[in-house]
Amino acid sequence: MSAMFRITLPDGSVREVAPGTTPADVAAAIGPGLAKAALAARIDGQVRDLNRPFEGDTALALVTARDEADALELVRHDLAHVMAEAVQHLFPGTQITFGPATDDGFYYDFAPKDRPFTEEDLPAIEAEMRAIIARNEPFLREVWSRQQLIDRWTQQGESFKAEWAAELPEGEELTIYRQGEWLDMCRGPHMASTGKLDPAAFKLTRVSGAYWRGDQKNAMLSRIYGTGWLNKKQLDQHLFRLEEAAKRDHRKIGAEMDLFHLQSEAQGSVFWHPKGFVLWRQMEAYMRRRLDAADYAEVKTPQLMDAKQWEQSGHWGKYRENMFVVPDEIPNVEDEGAVLSGEGDLMALKPMNCPAHVLIFKQGIKSYRDLPIRMAEFGCCHRNEPHGALHGIMRVRQFTQDDAHIFVREDQLVEEVRKFCELLDSVYKDLGFDDYAVKLALRPEKRFGEDSMWDKAEAELREAVMQSGLSDTIKANFEELPGEGAFYAPKLEFHLTDAIGRTWQVGTIQSDRVLPERLDASYVGADGERHRPVMLHRAILGTFERFIGILIEHHAGRFPLWLAPVQAVIATIVSDADDYALEVAAKLKAAGIRVETDLRNEKINYKVREHSLAKVPNLLVVGKREAEEGKVALRTLGSQAQTILTLDEAIARLADEARAPDM
């Protein structure tokens, strides 16, 4: 008789099972309820198929819908396979390529036989997917050789899959998953069968083009996207969020409010219009006041620096593909010959401010008494993002960071990070974000520095969060992210949650002992010897462009009064009130209110509607009676009612409401 396998369950109990037993068998032995609820198994921490036999003694946890992250990954992976089968059944001759799960669904790239797919094809594909789900086909895992895969794909006319299979390593265990007659190369895992999917909990959303293997030199494919969930309620909530997100899209609102525009002549750079730049300046002035109060010294550093500096800092080797490189030579202005010789030394537009701040720190001798030195810069940086990755003002090539670097002694580090956490918390609350999460990104696989240095740096950041005045809820939800730190330092990340439940990673603080070493930064200690400072890289907003985009979507353009580009419009009912409207506007301007007048010969209801669409927070309506009595009829955005106030009362009220939260 074969030796039994010992299976340890989450409660610590142990079951002995015969070889060939599966996690599904263990679930059934525990009870029919668990057998029905189980979607997959976590074997020694790794998610695997429910029907894959045990291979030895192991720790087993059964994955159910309560394990939402794992369950959603399984559902979305299954749906991708179901969609691919549906497409190949409806459109014979279509070739398949890849189909991963995504953060909110799945996609698959296809090479159609006759024509690219369109969104008109999606309802038929959805219907076929539901038919496959109804058939309750088991997902079966099989191990194949590389040659078997190549032969299969070649026989089926699947040239893309054959190409990929030919590049797989010899001797590696290669797996396919089949549902009925249809199959694909896949590592898995999958649920037990297609019938485990809820046929009402998915929707195909859009079609786009995609290049084979992401290379624009290769064939163009049709990519079909879908969203998939555990049940219809989750799907409905997601579709509502998408609908709400479309209404709040910062590009749409930015155009409606005349804040900014983008165009191909400056890919990934923002053209700020006067109203948009008012918003920018309010944010910048607010952040500058907060930094002044926290004893930061503001600096300004060059845009263009010699490549040798980036080599020394380590960025040239690790980050060069994201840098704009510039030859240090004068272009040829003659018609004949190349514009550039290619012989000039290389320079680069700065993608970050940190090396330049170290160069300022190194000017003159620093004593241990001088530390901490808090050096801030609203630094304009450039990163060479691919065109396809750009997104409105959220992801751009030219951006301005609310950047700062704090040079500290070892004994000051935890206290300085604690102070930063509390400053950031205060700023987020001022800007309307009470709900955020703190995460610690730990050492990546490729990194500079010894493990002992990383141990110390990670422990210090943990300690600073727990010592800080952040809320108990934030501390209770503190999370660690293995492998996601920068190549030179672990970092705390701050993830905001907006008005419709989306999360945005914005603020960060990194504890860096590598860059001061590489750039030879030092201070003189109490012992008279040279010591390395620790360099804290920190930002609260991240970048002005992206944070303003988040603010636009969070508030749906209805900014708090202190941020609103136009805080009030004076609208006349009759032309007899024009002079009074101009007088009201002048007094509001004198009180510091950003105001415009609307003296057009239009009906007042038309004016009210137009300014509401433009998200103007306050409309002061004046007619002949208001002019005679020295009053205004105040309408606030989103309210049908109006309040009659004297002009002095209106000015006092608006001036009070328009005061920035730190003032």
Side-chain angles (χ1 to χ4, degrees):
M1 181 178 173
S2 300
M4 302 288 275
F5 295 153
R6 289 171 57 83
I7 308 303
T8 306
L9 299 174
D11 64 1
S13 63
V14 176
R15 289 178 178 248
E16 293 199 342
V17 301
T21 302
T22 67
D25 296 328
V26 173
I30 293 172
L34 184 57
K36 185 177 179 183
L39 303 176
R42 191 172 277 283
I43 304 293
D44 293 333
Q46 184 180 11
V47 179
R48 287 169 55 167
D49 304 333
L50 205 55
N51 291 318
R52 184 171 166 185
F54 295 111
E55 294 163 3
D57 295 348
T58 190
L60 167 68
L62 292 162
V63 176
T64 70
R66 290 184 177 181
D67 306 296
E68 191 167 284
D70 289 333
L72 284 170
E73 179 87 12
L74 288 160
V75 162
R76 290 162 181 168
H77 196 172
D78 288 4
L79 283 166
H81 280 229
V82 169
M83 178 174 72
E85 180 185 353
V87 167
Q88 290 199 303
H89 181 257
L90 291 172
F91 303 94
T94 297
Q95 294 188 56
I96 54 172
T97 63
F98 297 116
T102 65
D103 287 343
D104 63 2
F106 55 95
Y107 69 80
Y108 225 106
D109 288 345
F110 300 98
K113 182 182 178 186
D114 301 316
R115 61 167 177 82
F117 295 128
T118 69
E119 295 191 1
E120 284 71 43
D121 297 318
L122 300 186
I125 298 170
E126 284 184 357
E128 182 64 21
M129 289 174 69
R130 292 191 174 93
I132 295 168
I133 290 169
R135 289 204 299 271
N136 196 22
E137 299 276 11
F139 285 103
L140 301 175
R141 178 182 183 271
E142 299 173 13
V143 178
W144 286 25
S145 70
R146 185 177 75 160
Q147 195 57 50
Q148 278 179 292
L149 285 169
I150 295 169
D151 293 345
R152 161 77 185 202
W153 298 130
T154 304
Q155 289 161 12
Q156 296 289 322
E158 296 274 9
S159 60
F160 296 96
K161 284 288 189 185
E163 177 188 322
W164 186 256
E167 296 177 19
L168 294 171
E170 282 276 20
E172 188 174 300
E173 182 177 84
L174 305 173
T175 55
I176 64 103
Y177 277 80
R178 71 165 73 241
Q179 63 228 34
E181 294 301 311
W182 189 89
L183 60 85
D184 192 7
M185 293 189 290
C186 180
R187 288 196 182 93
H190 284 275
M191 294 192 292
S193 69
T194 63
K196 288 283 188 181
L197 295 164
D198 183 339
F202 76 90
K203 182 175 178 58
L204 302 185
T205 53
R206 62 191 174 96
V207 179
S208 73
Y211 293 108
W212 166 236
R213 302 176 84 163
D215 188 336
Q216 61 187 13
K217 297 174 188 164
N218 291 338
M220 174 64 83
L221 307 172
S222 278
R223 176 173 293 179
I224 300 179
Y225 287 92
T227 185
W229 300 86
L230 299 176
N231 52 57
K232 187 175 187 301
K233 182 181 177 184
Q234 285 186 342
L235 173 66
D236 289 344
Q237 288 171 339
H238 176 70
L239 294 177
F240 172 77
R241 283 196 299 270
L242 287 182
E243 187 181 332
E244 191 62 28
K247 291 178 193 169
R248 292 167 178 261
D249 189 309
H250 71 280
R251 295 164 297 183
K252 173 176 171 286
I253 292 174
E256 289 170 353
M257 296 181 69
D258 192 25
L259 303 179
F260 60 84
H261 83 276
L262 302 115
Q263 64 184 73
S264 59
E265 284 78 0
Q267 284 276 3
S269 299
V270 186
F271 292 82
W272 289 99
H273 297 190
K275 288 178 182 175
F277 204 57
V278 166
L279 178 56
W280 176 294
R281 287 176 58 201
Q282 291 303 308
M283 287 291 296
E284 187 177 51
Y286 165 79
M287 288 305 301
R288 187 167 274 123
R289 290 193 301 270
R290 297 306 308 267
L291 294 179
D292 287 347
D295 291 328
Y296 284 78
E298 190 173 345
V299 299
K300 188 77 174 167
T301 59
Q303 286 284 298
L304 200 58
M305 291 170 64
D306 195 304
K308 293 184 181 68
Q309 176 67 23
W310 300 108
E311 287 172 16
Q312 194 178 351
S313 71
H315 292 93
W316 193 251
K318 297 278 185 182
Y319 206 77
R320 187 170 65 238
E321 66 186 29
N322 296 109
M323 296 169 73
F324 285 101
V325 178
V326 181
D328 187 9
E329 65 171 292
I330 297 169
N332 172 29
V333 295
E334 303 297 329
D335 292 337
E336 300 297 321
V339 175
L340 296 169
S341 70
E343 296 173 3
D345 291 336
L346 294 180
M347 304 185 77
L349 286 171
K350 65 176 177 181
M352 61 234 352
N353 302 300
C354 22
H357 288 190
V358 177
L359 296 183
I360 292 179
F361 177 86
K362 288 174 65 178
Q363 293 297 299
I365 297 170
K366 301 295 185 293
S367 159
Y368 70 97
R369 293 189 184 91
D370 298 323
L371 274 54
I373 292 174
R374 304 180 187 95
M375 199 180 295
E377 179 173 9
F378 297 133
C380 180
C381 298
H382 290 78
R383 293 185 186 171
N384 197 353
E385 301 279 5
H387 287 194
L390 302 174
H391 175 66
I393 65 174
M394 298 288 205
R395 188 161 183 184
V396 290
R397 288 174 148 191
Q398 177 185 297
F399 55 89
T400 300
Q401 295 177 308
D402 70 314
D403 201 10
H405 295 91
I406 308 173
F407 298 88
V408 297
R409 305 190 308 262
E410 296 272 352
D411 62 297
Q412 296 171 321
L413 191 149
V414 171
E415 173 68 4
E416 202 60 32
V417 176
R418 178 192 69 76
K419 286 181 179 177
F420 168 75
C421 290
E422 291 172 2
L423 172 62
L424 171 141
D425 183 72
S426 171
V427 168
Y428 286 175
K429 285 174 179 169
D430 280 354
L431 296 174
F433 295 99
D434 294 322
D435 185 7
Y436 67 92
V438 184
K439 303 184 183 188
L440 174 56
L442 304 172
R443 68 197 75 183
E445 189 176 333
K446 293 182 179 178
R447 58 185 182 268
F448 290 146
E450 300 294 324
D451 282 350
S452 57
M453 180 203 79
W454 284 87
D455 291 340
K456 182 173 173 60
E458 290 167 357
E460 287 165 338
L461 293 180
R462 281 188 201 98
E463 184 183 350
V465 171
M466 293 309 155
Q467 282 189 16
S468 74
L470 302 185
S471 74
D472 291 342
T473 303
I474 288 172
K475 290 179 183 176
N477 293 322
F478 180 66
E479 186 182 344
E480 301 199 354
L481 307 173
E484 295 196 21
F487 66 86
Y488 51 85
K491 59 181 175 177
L492 292 174
E493 298 178 353
F494 299 84
H495 296 249
L496 295 181
T497 300
D498 71 9
I500 57 173
R502 297 170 301 180
T503 57
W504 307 88
Q505 197 259 298
V506 282
T508 183
I509 186 164
Q510 304 169 0
S511 174
D512 180 9
R513 289 170 168 85
V514 171
L515 199 60
E517 180 74 35
R518 291 182 72 91
L519 297 184
D520 193 29
S522 65
Y523 66 90
V524 178
D527 57 2
E529 300 295 323
R530 289 180 66 205
H531 297 269
R532 296 279 181 227
V534 183
M535 186 176 184
L536 300 175
H537 307 246
R538 48 111 296 178
I540 295 175
L541 306 182
T543 75
F544 277 87
E545 288 81 357
R546 185 164 176 267
F547 201 92
I548 289 172
I550 294 167
L551 276 175
I552 290 169
E553 298 198 1
H554 177 63
H555 292 292
R558 298 181 172 203
F559 299 108
L561 194 56
W562 70 280
L563 278 177
V566 177
Q567 294 171 320
V569 167
I570 319 300
T572 53
I573 300 173
V574 292
S575 58
D576 290 356
D578 286 0
D579 289 344
Y580 179 60
L582 294 171
E583 179 190 334
V584 171
K587 289 188 175 179
L588 283 168
K589 270 184 190 169
I593 305 297
R594 295 185 288 278
V595 62
E596 293 181 350
T597 56
D598 185 348
L599 311 181
R600 293 173 299 166
N601 185 23
E602 298 283 358
K603 291 183 178 178
I604 191 61
N605 286 344
Y606 176 85
K607 294 181 181 182
V608 169
R609 185 166 60 252
E610 194 169 76
H611 294 300
S612 295
L613 288 172
K615 313 290 192 299
V616 174
N618 296 288
L619 192 62
L620 280 66
V621 178
V622 295
K624 193 172 181 181
R625 181 191 298 174
E626 285 79 14
E628 289 170 352
E629 297 178 359
K631 293 182 178 179
V632 296
L634 175 64
R635 288 171 176 254
T636 56
L637 184 61
S639 171
Q640 297 299 315
Q642 63 180 26
T643 306
I644 306 299
L645 300 169
T646 67
L647 179 52
D648 287 344
E649 288 171 337
I651 290 171
R653 178 166 161 176
L654 293 181
D656 184 56
E657 291 177 8
R659 194 174 291 115
D662 64 311
M663 297 180 73

